[in-house]
């Protein structure tokens, strides 16, 4: 019992008191010098408390006379006190190392959570930019045809309805397979083919092996829309647009190519200028450095290439 009290119970009570003291004091608010000073003084006081508590209990337990205290020499007192002080100092060091680790881990998690929330918010903004952007252009097309050709305007409305059904169905999806994304693009292509008739030619050539791989939903629309809209401004008619897919080096490669020249944003006659920028930012948000986005313009052809890491359900 004496060993248990002196070597376990008293140390636990002393260190628990120190822990409560350090938590209440909030050492983070002080300078480094003051922190060392507070720790040093509190450790010294705790060492003296430990020593006198243990000595008192020893006298009581063995029924020694109080006068025996006079026989304690300064040397034995100093050695015992220094031993306790070193032991408590080691405990304090370990305590603060563990405490700092948990604090660092907590701050890291909070930072990662903040980054994740910011990224989620940004992704929602980028996704929500697509629908108004598409509606703006589609409604312009319907407006232009509603008096001239009501039947074609009705066809566009039907395709627009199918297009919007897709955005509502898959808006909250993080990924969607390429096959469904292509079906989504076909609705838009059909609308443009009705609008431009013989002035527009579209070619679709997808590798069947690519159709089951996953991509961010509605990532291709801004590229195809850009190819048609600005291709019409720079290409000899009929405008030719193609969409191809293939696999290369553990990546899905999607190419959208159109006749015409690349028109710089500052030179574009009418555009929100958000489409291509939207795609770039979404790829960075989704894949970081794991994806690629390239634009090549030469010989009256513009090619936009997406390189996306392979993913499957």
């Amino acid at each position: 019992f004496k060993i248990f009290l002196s070597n376990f119970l008293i140390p636990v009570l002393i260190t628990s008191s120190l822990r409560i003291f350090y938590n209440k004091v909030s050492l983070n608010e002080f300078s480094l010098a003051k922190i060392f000073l507070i720790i040093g003084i509190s450790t010294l006081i705790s060492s003296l408390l430990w020593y006198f508590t243990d000595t008192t209990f020893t006298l009581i337990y063995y029924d020694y006379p109080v006068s025996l205290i006079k026989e304690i020499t300064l040397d034995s007192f100093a050695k015992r006190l220094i031993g306790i002080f070193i032991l408590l100092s080691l405990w304090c060091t370990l305590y603060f190392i563990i405490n700092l680790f948990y604090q660092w881990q907590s701050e890291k998690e909070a930072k990662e959570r903040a980054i994740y929330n910011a990224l989620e918010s940004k992704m929602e903004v980028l996704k929500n930019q697509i629908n108004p952007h598409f509606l703006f252009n589609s409604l312009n097309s319907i407006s232009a045809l509603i008096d001239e050709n009501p039947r074609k305007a009705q066809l566009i409305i039907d395709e627009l309805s199918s297009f919007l059904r897709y955005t509502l169905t898959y808006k909250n999806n993080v990924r969607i397979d390429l096959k469904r994304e292509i079906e989504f693009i076909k609705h838009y292509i059909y609308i443009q083919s009705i609008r431009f008739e013989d002035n527009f030619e579209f070619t679709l050539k997808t590798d069947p092996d690519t159709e089951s791989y996953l991509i961010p939903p509605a990532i291709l629309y801004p590229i195809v829309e850009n190819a048609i809209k600005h291709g019409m401004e720079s290409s000899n008619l009929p405008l030719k647009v193609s969409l191809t897919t293939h696999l290369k080096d553990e990546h899905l490669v999607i190419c959208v190519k159109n006749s015409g020249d690349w028109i710089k944003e500052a030179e574009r006659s009418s555009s929100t200028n958000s489409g291509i920028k939207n795609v770039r930012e979404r790829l960075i948000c989704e894949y970081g450095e794991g994806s690629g986005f390239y634009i090549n313009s030469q010989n009256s052809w513009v090619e936009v290439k997406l390189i996306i890491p392979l993913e499957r359900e």
Side-chain angles (χ1 to χ4, degrees):
F1 178 74
K2 169 66 173 64
I3 294 172
F4 170 78
L5 191 77
S6 297
N7 298 323
F8 179 77
L9 190 57
I10 292 175
V12 167
L13 291 173
I14 294 293
T15 52
S16 296
S17 299
L18 277 173
R19 177 175 170 273
I20 293 170
F21 170 73
Y22 291 146
N23 285 337
K24 285 188 175 181
V25 169
S26 298
L27 294 178
N28 293 333
E29 299 176 2
F30 298 97
S31 64
L32 191 61
K34 285 186 178 180
I35 290 173
F36 280 119
L37 182 62
I38 291 171
I39 292 173
I41 293 173
S42 61
T43 303
L44 180 59
I45 293 172
S46 298
S47 300
L48 289 167
L49 184 61
W50 183 343
Y51 176 86
F52 288 118
T53 303
D54 184 40
T55 301
T56 303
F57 175 76
T58 301
L59 292 174
I60 296 171
Y61 185 81
Y62 292 109
D63 199 22
Y64 291 140
V66 179
S67 59
L68 194 64
I69 295 176
K70 296 178 181 179
E71 296 183 15
I72 298 173
T73 63
L74 184 62
D75 184 56
S76 63
F77 167 75
K79 286 181 180 179
R80 176 66 174 151
L81 187 65
I82 290 171
I84 295 173
F85 183 84
I86 291 172
L87 187 62
L88 283 178
S89 296
L90 291 173
W91 178 88
C92 287
T93 301
L94 183 61
Y95 170 80
F96 280 105
I97 288 173
I98 294 172
N99 203 36
L100 285 172
F101 171 76
Y102 279 114
Q103 185 178 346
W104 169 80
Q105 191 175 44
S106 178
E107 289 176 355
K108 182 183 177 184
E109 289 175 357
K111 184 178 180 181
E112 289 176 350
R113 190 160 49 249
I115 292 172
Y116 175 79
N117 290 337
L119 191 60
E120 282 291 298
S121 298
K122 186 174 183 179
M123 281 304 303
E124 282 302 310
V125 171
L126 291 176
K127 284 182 180 180
N128 291 333
Q129 281 179 358
I130 293 172
N131 292 344
H133 190 54
F134 172 75
L135 285 172
F136 176 78
N137 290 286
S138 296
L139 291 174
N140 276 345
S141 299
I142 294 170
S143 177
L145 289 171
I146 202 162
D147 292 327
E148 178 186 337
N149 194 326
R151 182 177 173 277
K152 285 186 178 181
Q154 181 62 48
L155 287 174
I156 293 177
I157 291 171
D158 292 340
E159 289 298 320
L160 179 60
S161 175
S162 298
F163 190 102
L164 293 179
R165 189 179 300 112
Y166 173 96
T167 62
L168 291 173
T169 304
Y170 300 108
K171 178 182 177 182
N172 295 324
N173 289 41
V174 177
R175 297 285 188 274
I176 189 171
D177 60 72
L178 179 62
K179 185 177 181 179
R180 291 181 184 178
E181 180 76 2
I182 296 297
E183 291 299 319
F184 169 63
I185 292 299
K186 285 180 180 177
H187 292 302
Y188 174 74
I189 293 299
Y190 190 76
I191 292 171
Q192 299 306 319
S193 66
I194 292 174
R195 178 185 175 191
F196 295 113
E197 297 182 330
D198 296 336
N199 290 325
F200 174 58
E201 295 178 5
F202 180 75
T203 304
L204 177 64
K205 186 177 180 182
T206 59
D207 184 342
D209 293 336
T210 65
E211 292 182 352
S212 61
Y213 286 103
L214 303 177
I215 63 173
I219 194 80
L220 296 183
Y221 162 72
I223 301 173
V224 175
E225 190 252 10
N226 186 81
I228 296 174
K229 184 174 181 63
H230 301 298
M232 281 294 178
E233 297 180 21
S234 63
S235 171
N236 293 324
L237 299 179
L239 168 66
K240 297 180 179 180
V241 177
S242 67
L243 192 158
T244 61
T245 68
H246 64 275
L247 300 176
K248 183 179 180 181
D249 300 330
E250 299 300 318
H251 284 78
L252 171 63
V253 181
I254 305 172
C255 298
V256 177
K257 194 173 182 180
N258 67 274
S259 56
D261 300 312
W262 178 255
I263 301 176
K264 296 179 181 179
E265 291 185 357
E267 300 172 356
R268 295 177 183 178
S269 59
S270 60
S271 173
T272 59
N273 292 332
S274 64
I276 295 299
K277 182 180 178 183
N278 181 298
V279 175
R280 288 184 190 274
E281 291 186 0
R282 285 190 68 189
L283 287 175
I284 292 171
C285 289
E286 297 278 4
Y287 304 104
E289 298 298 323
S291 64
F293 184 88
Y294 305 96
I295 299 173
N296 182 34
S297 178
Q298 59 181 354
N299 300 325
S300 296
W301 283 92
V302 177
E303 182 184 53
V304 177
K305 183 184 294 185
L306 277 72
I307 301 177
I308 299 174
L310 296 182
E311 286 185 62
R312 271 182 173 160
E313 290 184 359

